[in-house]
Amino acid sequence: MNSSDNKEFRDQLGKFRLESTGPSPAWSHVPESTPDPSTPSRSKRVSTACDFCRKRKKKCDFRYPNCSACTRAGVRCTIPPPGPQVASTSVPRDQLENLQKRVRWLEEVVRRKSGISVVDLATGTPVDGEGDPDWWYQVPAMIAMGGTRPSTSAASMPSPAGSGGSSATAVAPGSETSTGVGAELPNVGEIFRDQLEHRRPSVARPPSAPRVLRLSSFEEAEQMASQYFDSMGYQYPFMSRPEFMAQLRHIYTGGVPSPEMHNAYHIIMAISLLIDSADAARAAEFYHASQETLPLALQNEDLPAVRALLGLALYTMFATSGPSIWHVLGATMRLAISMGLHKARSYASLAEEEMAKRAFWSLYNLDRLIASTLGRPMGIADEDISVSLPRELNDDGTVAPGASAMTIPVQVMRLRRIFSRIYRYLYSNLPRPPAQEVAATLGQFRREVDDWRMAAPVFPSALLYSTSYYDYLYYTTLLLMYRPSARNPTPDATSIVSCGDSSVQVIRSYWDSYSVGKLKWIWLTLSQVYFAGITILWCLEQNARSLRESRPAPWQPDEQMMRRGIQAVVVLLEEFGKRRPGVDRLAETFRHQSTIIFSQMAYQQQQLDQQPPPLPPPQPPTLIPQASTLAPPPAPPVPLAPVLDDVLLVDGSGGMPMIDPQMAEQLFYSYNWFQEEMASYYTL
């Protein structure tokens, strides 16, 4: 290396030392190489002393990021800017050798990760067009196809001397790691991390003309699209209905859609076919067609990419196969946060701003729903969100509070904000608060939820949908708030009554949909039906416990409505068992629990009826003699076979039923058991 090269390298080394003022990464400290005994020892020289050592005229040991003297003094270690005094200083050979080894190692990492050899490329050479290192957007397609990211074991990756690598973490070639649920999926968060933190400018998506599936006619396609927007569109309005309908007509008149619209068209048609309970094979065909342009739809970090991931998440809610909704939503939330969708900021136009808000709040709604259903943490804290809710705009851009297609979604988003605070307060690992605090907090939450329901506007174009959907969300929120939770495992009488009434209403809502053939046979429906059913059983167990302790029963439900609710759960679970293998075992478990509790209720009622009537008050003595009378015969025993709308729950043997003293605890823990069961079976 000639003198000019040495001077240039020393200047760069000085700049590197000056600019590296952040925390030291794990590999920044490079141990010194072991000197060769045959080589005569020589003193180590540093390029320059830090400012603190220079002022004290002491020798600096040049440790990074702080030298020993600065560390002892508790000051920040700084060096003067590069200049003649730096350029004239020699560089220790061991530092130069270690840096060269690290450069070679990093070049090998780049080659293995991206397939690009950068050894012969000049520094700063663009590499986007060769080997496609920006392959992160292909991850959802890999998830959908069940593919895995090529792994590179520690044993196969050469580690430079002094790089901090440890052989303890190396994996022997050919060894197999243990696999579990979801082990075949790539680590989406790790793949996205570098791209989301070092975003590149958006580029135009390349034109493509893949296959386009079409229904029999444009009228049928328009009907299927309307079915989607009239149901899922009211809950998750991340897709513009006018824009989609215009593109739909363009497709059915022979036009070639853009990659993002190609993906959106096929995934929405697949979801609509599943909602309509049509041919599942046809829906799967549309889904696989959408995957052909998913990598192109996710090429840039923009709204089309967020919408593509949201569509993928909605599909997984209905389909029995596909990627994990938990992984997809996690990747979507990372992308949305990287784009700043959760922050209030300015946009080029009102339309762009509103669509960005709709995409983020749709993601927020899904995140809260899935987290509470699976008992998992939420993807973003409410304190980190500063963006406002979307405006209630008509299709022509005019604001119409209470009378636009965004009326229902905005109202749902308001409830989700309350829902989020309830879930965060009750379902966490924080210490259990005093009972008085819990009662006061739940009372405040109940007032907010009641005010929300009273102020909920009715959208005339979807009158029945808006009112029934509001009621369903209202009662599911109360059920989440009052049922046994981590920080309120023993609810009071008010909570028991609210749990029972809300559960009956939730089941009634699902039964009404089932009666008209519009029930969605998805895992979310299954979980809500089961949660409501076991909550009714828990409330009945609390009644039985109060009676055993000679206290009045806290919940006094309408007997017929309560029994019909239990019967509806039994029927719905049995119907789920015909469509989803494995649910039949769940239905049998619920039926057994119902049998025990209703047998207990019948036995207690029998004991009350057989108790002798209270003695009359003593009569004053009379001179007229009374004729002696015989005691009335005992009443016949009450049969121990309560009939639940022609569903016999006990065998009618007449014997005392075996009551499990831990029934309430078992029902409480069945929430967690069912959440784990759902996540494992449906790969959520």
Side-chain angles (χ1 to χ4, degrees):
M1 182 179 292
N2 55 34
S3 59
S4 61
D5 292 339
N6 283 332
K7 182 178 183 299
E8 180 181 358
F9 177 78
R10 288 194 298 271
D11 290 341
Q12 294 178 357
L13 181 64
K15 294 179 181 179
F16 172 79
R17 174 76 185 277
L18 179 65
E19 295 172 356
S20 302
T21 56
S24 174
W27 46 264
S28 60
H29 178 66
V30 181
E32 295 181 356
S33 303
T34 304
D36 189 355
S38 61
T39 304
S41 61
R42 60 180 180 181
S43 60
K44 301 291 175 107
R45 299 183 60 192
V46 298
S47 59
T48 183
C50 68
D51 293 332
F52 184 75
C53 293
R54 286 168 62 88
K55 291 179 181 179
R56 298 174 60 247
K57 296 183 179 180
K58 298 292 184 179
K59 184 178 180 181
C60 182
D61 59 5
F62 203 76
R63 291 193 176 184
Y64 181 83
N66 282 354
C67 68
S68 300
C70 291
T71 302
R72 289 192 298 269
V75 298
R76 184 178 182 182
C77 188
T78 60
I79 63 174
Q85 71 278 11
V86 176
S88 61
T89 306
S90 61
V91 179
R93 177 175 296 177
D94 58 343
Q95 294 185 16
L96 178 60
E97 292 176 352
N98 285 331
L99 287 175
Q100 290 173 339
K101 290 178 181 179
R102 176 158 295 278
V103 168
R104 288 195 297 269
W105 178 65
L106 293 176
E107 289 174 346
E108 179 65 14
V109 171
V110 172
R111 187 190 66 81
R112 290 181 177 272
K113 295 293 184 181
S114 64
I116 299 177
S117 177
V118 297
V119 177
D120 299 328
L121 297 180
T123 303
T125 302
V127 293
D128 288 352
E130 182 181 356
D132 194 11
D134 300 317
W135 64 289
W136 64 274
Y137 56 82
Q138 300 178 9
V139 173
M142 295 170 56
I143 297 177
M145 294 163 42
T148 57
R149 180 182 179 182
S151 60
T152 304
S153 63
S156 62
M157 177 65 69
S159 177
S163 62
S166 175
S167 60
T169 60
V171 180
S175 63
E176 296 182 359
T177 57
S178 61
T179 59
V181 176
E184 71 280 0
L185 300 176
N187 189 334
V188 180
E190 180 182 350
I191 296 173
F192 271 159
R193 181 174 59 227
D194 292 337
Q195 279 294 331
L196 297 185
E197 294 177 356
H198 305 286
R199 298 169 57 193
R200 62 183 177 86
S202 298
V203 297
R205 292 178 173 87
S208 61
R211 59 173 181 151
V212 178
L213 301 182
R214 294 180 175 86
L215 299 177
S216 58
S217 63
F218 170 72
E219 289 73 21
E220 182 184 2
E222 191 176 31
Q223 179 182 359
M224 298 300 294
S226 298
Q227 180 172 265
Y228 168 85
F229 284 103
D230 289 340
S231 56
M232 304 305 294
Y234 284 131
Q235 305 175 44
Y236 313 103
F238 58 88
M239 183 67 65
S240 171
R241 183 170 187 165
E243 178 184 353
F244 183 85
M245 290 300 184
Q247 291 293 329
L248 186 67
R249 181 175 296 276
H250 173 69
I251 292 174
Y252 277 79
T253 54
V256 178
S258 60
E260 59 268 29
M261 185 50 61
H262 178 279
N263 172 264
Y265 160 72
H266 286 92
I267 198 69
I268 286 182
M269 286 296 152
I271 296 172
S272 185
L273 288 170
L274 291 177
I275 294 175
D276 193 45
S277 299
D279 186 5
R282 184 66 169 165
E285 188 178 0
F286 271 89
Y287 166 71
H288 290 302
S290 71
Q291 302 307 291
E292 297 177 3
T293 50
L294 183 60
L296 293 178
L298 300 180
Q299 175 176 300
N300 299 325
E301 299 174 34
D302 52 11
L303 282 180
V306 176
R307 286 196 288 261
L309 289 174
L310 287 174
L312 186 63
L314 290 185
Y315 178 82
T316 61
M317 291 174 57
F318 291 89
T320 56
S321 61
S324 163
I325 190 173
W326 181 252
H327 288 80
V328 174
L329 286 180
T332 313
M333 185 64 75
R334 285 291 302 270
L335 178 58
I337 294 174
S338 173
M339 295 171 57
L341 298 184
H342 62 301
K343 297 295 184 181
R345 57 192 182 94
S346 60
Y347 289 86
S349 63
L350 177 62
E352 182 182 352
E353 177 183 359
E354 288 304 306
M355 292 311 300
K357 290 181 179 179
R358 294 181 187 185
F360 174 77
W361 287 109
S362 297
L363 173 61
Y364 179 92
N365 189 1
L366 266 175
D367 175 76
R368 268 42 183 175
L369 176 63
I370 302 304
S372 61
T373 304
L374 298 180
R376 295 176 178 176
M378 298 177 292
I380 184 174
D382 288 88
E383 293 79 4
D384 296 332
I385 302 172
S386 60
V387 63
S388 60
L389 296 178
R391 297 179 177 88
E392 298 183 41
L393 297 177
N394 284 322
D395 293 340
D396 58 0
T398 59
V399 180
S404 72
M406 284 297 297
T407 295
I408 297 178
V410 170
Q411 190 66 18
V412 173
M413 294 167 189
R414 292 193 179 103
L415 179 63
R416 287 301 183 201
R417 298 299 299 268
I418 308 174
F419 184 96
S420 178
R421 290 190 288 113
I422 294 173
Y423 183 72
R424 181 177 179 181
Y425 178 78
L426 293 174
Y427 299 85
S428 68
N429 293 326
L430 297 175
R432 187 181 304 174
Q436 296 82 0
E437 176 188 333
V438 173
T441 305
L442 292 182
Q444 176 62 31
F445 284 145
R446 180 61 183 268
R447 287 188 291 272
E448 293 183 37
V449 176
D450 290 344
D451 292 342
W452 171 87
R453 184 62 187 91
M454 294 297 295
V458 176
F459 183 42
S461 301
L463 177 62
L464 179 61
Y465 184 90
S466 62
T467 54
S468 61
Y469 189 49
Y470 289 158
D471 291 338
Y472 165 77
L473 292 176
Y474 173 77
Y475 288 115
T476 52
T477 303
L478 295 184
L479 187 57
L480 178 82
M481 181 167 60
Y482 286 117
R483 76 189 190 198
S485 58
R487 303 190 72 201
N488 186 27
T490 55
D492 56 10
T494 302
S495 299
I496 296 173
V497 174
S498 300
C499 274
D501 294 340
S502 300
S503 299
V504 171
Q505 294 299 328
V506 169
I507 295 172
R508 181 179 179 181
S509 174
Y510 280 116
W511 184 259
D512 291 342
S513 299
Y514 171 73
S515 301
V516 297
K518 294 186 177 299
L519 184 67
K520 299 180 179 66
W521 300 100
I522 61 178
W523 65 271
L524 276 174
T525 302
L526 175 62
S527 64
Q528 294 290 354
V529 168
Y530 181 78
F531 284 163
I534 62 173
T535 303
I536 292 181
L537 299 184
W538 178 80
C539 294
L540 295 176
E541 168 63 22
Q542 296 302 307
N543 282 354
R545 174 174 295 188
S546 297
L547 293 177
R548 289 196 300 268
E549 298 173 355
S550 300
R551 294 185 288 108
W555 186 37
Q556 301 293 335
D558 180 87
E559 187 76 10
Q560 183 179 8
M561 183 175 296
M562 180 269 296
R563 290 179 178 270
R564 287 185 179 275
I566 297 294
Q567 181 188 10
V569 175
V570 174
V571 173
L572 291 177
L573 291 180
E574 290 177 349
E575 290 295 322
F576 262 104
K578 299 176 182 178
R579 295 168 171 83
R580 301 288 187 269
V583 183
D584 50 350
R585 180 174 61 88
L586 181 67
E588 182 62 28
T589 301
F590 181 82
R591 191 182 184 90
H592 176 69
Q593 292 174 333
S594 305
T595 300
I596 296 178
I597 290 183
F598 275 90
S599 299
Q600 179 182 3
M601 293 172 55
Y603 179 79
Q604 289 180 337
Q605 184 64 38
Q606 179 183 12
Q607 295 298 103
L608 292 176
D609 293 342
Q610 290 181 354
Q611 289 181 357
L615 296 176
Q619 299 291 334
T622 176
L623 299 177
I624 302 176
Q626 300 289 332
S628 62
T629 58
L630 298 177
V638 177
L640 191 60
V643 177
L644 181 62
D645 293 344
D646 299 331
V647 178
L648 191 64
L649 294 180
V650 294
D651 56 6
S653 61
M656 179 177 177
M658 298 300 294
I659 305 299
D660 188 350
Q662 303 296 326
M663 175 60 69
E665 285 72 18
Q666 289 181 358
L667 289 175
F668 165 56
Y669 286 113
S670 65
Y671 286 107
N672 297 333
W673 167 79
F674 185 65
Q675 288 169 339
E676 296 173 359
E677 192 81 0
M678 293 287 292
S680 300
Y681 185 76
Y682 288 95
T683 63
L684 302 175

